[in-house]
Amino acid sequence: QVQLLESGGGSVQAGGSLRLSCKASRTIGDYCMGWFRQAPGKEREEVATIDRFANRRYIDPVEGRFTTSIDNAKDTLFLQMNSLKPEDTAMYYCAANFARCPWNDDWENWGQGTQVTVSS
């Protein structure tokens, strides 16, 4: 089990940037790490993943604007979000899954989420 704690959310205007952090309770070098988001009235969607070989995957709406990275020395996952749009408004969650990246949302460990609000 891995406890995950997100931070860094907030309110910004369109075009602005935010950097989300996800601090893990243990080393995550053998985990696939992911970012998800859920907007009001919508289903949760995967935003970005990074596997234990540092391969990254992004959904099309955030490709080129969001970057995920890991600082293994600090057991922390990051999501740098640039050129934010109102449609990026959502609760953002980080998740961890041992060894592999699930193709659905059946991940083993989840954080509590951090709210991102982008105004036009």
Side-chain angles (χ1 to χ4, degrees), residues 3-6 22 91-94 110-115:
Q3 280 73 52
L4 303 169
L5 182 63
E6 302 95 336
C22 173
M91 183 71 77
Y92 283 71
Y93 301 88
C94 69
W110 291 88
Q112 294 298 308
T114 185
Q115 178 68 37

Side-chain angles (χ1 to χ4, degrees), residues 46-117:
E46 179 185 292
V47 175
T49 62
I50 179 168
D51 68 17
R52 56 196 175 122
F53 305 109
N55 296 308
R56 295 167 174 82
R57 184 174 75 207
Y58 301 95
I59 57 171
D60 287 345
V62 309
E63 183 77 55
R65 300 188 296 122
F66 290 10
T67 303
T68 191
S69 60
I70 292 178
D71 184 337
N72 281 307
K74 298 181 179 179
D75 301 326
T76 301
L77 172 72
F78 299 100
L79 184 67
Q80 178 66 43
M81 306 186 295
N82 299 327
S83 303
L84 283 161
K85 304 176 180 180
E87 51 264 42
D88 295 318
T89 295
M91 183 71 77
Y92 283 71
Y93 301 88
C94 69
N97 200 79
F98 182 72
R100 65 179 187 87
C101 297
W103 284 98
N104 54 21
D105 64 354
D106 188 20
W107 291 57
E108 297 167 336
N109 306 279
W110 291 88
Q112 294 298 308
T114 185
Q115 178 68 37
V116 171
T117 302

